[in-house]
Amino acid sequence: MEAKKSTGIYWLYFTIWLGILITLMFVYREFFWLALPGVITSFVKGMDII
């Protein structure tokens, strides 16, 4: 049986990246894609999928 990992830090990263993503969407729309890997990766790690 696996030990349960703490995913709190990944949810914090997700919140920060989501803020960056939303800011880029409204301010610098052409750089929106640069924040997507951080948002997706931190979300998946927060859900403990990988």
Side-chain angles (χ1 to χ4, degrees):
M1 219 167 144
E2 286 185 27
K4 186 79 173 155
K5 293 189 291 188
S6 175
T7 59
I9 190 70
Y10 296 120
W11 286 113
L12 178 65
Y13 290 155
F14 172 72
T15 306
I16 292 169
W17 274 109
L18 188 63
I20 292 170
L21 180 82
I22 291 170
T23 302
L24 285 175
M25 225 177 347
F26 289 110
V27 179
Y28 299 110
R29 190 170 293 262
E30 62 271 10
F31 296 118
F32 160 78
W33 301 104
L34 295 176
L36 276 179
V39 171
I40 294 170
T41 302
S42 58
F43 178 75
V44 169
K45 284 186 158 270
M47 294 291 289
D48 200 22
I49 296 173
I50 60 171

